[in-house]
Amino acid sequence: MNLTRGVDEEIVDYLLSAEKECREVTKITDQYPNLTFEEAYLIQEKLIQRKEQEGARRIGLKLGLTSKAKQEMMGVHEAIYGYLTDDMLAVEWKPLAFTSFIHPKAEPEIAFFIGEDLQGTHVTAADVLSVTQYVAPAIEVIDSRYQHFKFTLTDVIADNCSSARFVIGNKWLSPAGLDLASLGMVMSKNSEVVTVGAGAAVLGHPATSVAWAVNKLGAIGKGLKKGDIVLSGAISEAVAFEAGDSISVQFAELGGVSFSCK
Ligand code: OOG
Ligand code: MG
């Protein structure tokens, strides 16, 4: 352990004030180059606890770096997870204010609505699907608190995996009878197609990505709870947007989801 007492709280303050004041900061590994992944997850947990003390509620989990392409880009072999809180949930009909962000990007994702508690260390994609009440189209807005959206894996874990907002579409379907791996997706910005993909981009199958996170949580005695929402990871690269832009994601079968930024 490299974290001396009080340093974790200092880092939490540093990241939370950057988020609240919508300003980017230098990455924490510049100052603490030896931080481990484990310590980064401890900082992330403290950061979420602080948000809870300030009134936010944990409502689920998000996966990041779930595509092989993105993992190779970062030189890592593992995905990452962070928490969703109720204040991140945005609605389609209310434009997001650009001034509430630093340098936001949109990602197309498949959301899972968990209908039963799920905990363990040998959880499979099939186990995940069996407790999934619905899947729905989603867009995650990520907004790294770090300068130029550049970071190492430890930095981004501590920063709750760049989480900022998410929007869920209004068509929710049972995953039974859906082939989430071959589900096609098109993301557009201002009506022009910007990325395309399919569910398989997420570790071969989005439920595999959720199972990975459940097993990681299981190793520290945690798990998913009935009612949790899980964002399974970006299906394509993230796309930057600004005030005046609108982003829409259309899935085969699952339907669409969109938002605009003012
Ligand atoms: C980390 C978060 C990535 C995803 O779905 O891959 C993420 C980042 O790239 O800032 O949410
Ligand atoms: Mg994401």
Side-chain angles (χ1 to χ4, degrees), residues 28-257:
I28 57 177
T29 52
D30 287 355
Q31 206 179 338
Y32 305 102
N34 299 322
L35 274 186
T36 63
F37 292 170
E38 200 184 359
E39 289 166 331
Y41 275 113
L42 285 175
I43 295 168
Q44 182 198 92
E45 176 59 30
K46 291 213 162 157
L47 185 138
I48 300 297
Q49 283 174 7
R50 184 80 72 78
K51 287 190 173 194
E52 287 178 315
Q53 284 159 14
E54 291 171 7
R57 214 160 42 81
R58 245 182 254 236
I59 57 170
L61 201 69
K62 65 150 286 181
L63 280 291
L65 310 182
T66 49
S67 74
K68 280 275 166 276
K70 227 169 159 173
Q71 289 182 5
E72 270 161 27
M73 215 172 89
M74 298 284 300
V76 298
H77 307 285
E78 261 210 354
I80 52 176
Y81 67 85
Y83 285 96
L84 301 174
T85 51
D86 60 347
D87 52 329
M88 295 177 189
L89 183 56
V91 286
E92 288 194 278
W93 44 268
K94 198 169 162 205
L96 294 175
F98 187 71
T99 52
S100 66
F101 296 110
I102 305 166
H103 39 207
K105 296 181 183 179
E107 300 179 320
E109 305 217 9
I110 296 174
F112 286 63
F113 288 78
I114 304 300
E116 284 171 47
D117 291 2
L118 182 63
Q119 188 170 332
T121 50
H122 296 90
V123 171
T124 64
D127 297 331
V128 168
L129 289 172
S130 73
V131 301
T132 301
Q133 208 166 3
Y134 306 108
V135 287
I139 303 174
E140 181 179 20
V141 174
I142 53 172
D143 194 26
S144 172
R145 268 50 72 172
Y146 300 120
Q147 245 168 20
H148 314 303
F149 232 109
K150 291 249 158 56
F151 41 72
T152 68
L153 207 55
T154 31
D155 289 303
V156 68
I157 291 167
D159 187 30
N160 195 29
C161 306
S162 311
S163 305
R165 303 280 192 286
F166 66 100
V167 192
I168 306 271
N170 57 21
K171 187 168 169 185
W172 302 5
L173 293 179
S174 161
L178 278 177
D179 179 2
L180 293 179
S182 62
L183 202 69
M185 178 289 302
V186 175
M187 180 157 77
S188 309
K189 179 161 119 177
N190 306 326
S191 306
E192 270 185 41
V193 173
V194 282
T195 65
V196 295
V202 180
L203 295 180
H205 192 294
T208 304
S209 145
V210 180
W212 173 85
V214 175
N215 290 325
K216 284 297 270 191
L217 287 175
I220 51 168
K222 297 181 185 177
L224 290 180
K225 293 262 178 297
K226 177 179 185 205
D228 277 350
I229 304 173
V230 184
L231 294 180
S232 52
I235 289 173
S236 72
E237 68 265 35
V239 170
F241 64 87
E242 289 174 16
D245 288 338
S246 59
I247 302 279
S248 108
V249 168
Q250 193 65 38
F251 280 96
E253 295 176 83
L254 261 190
V257 53

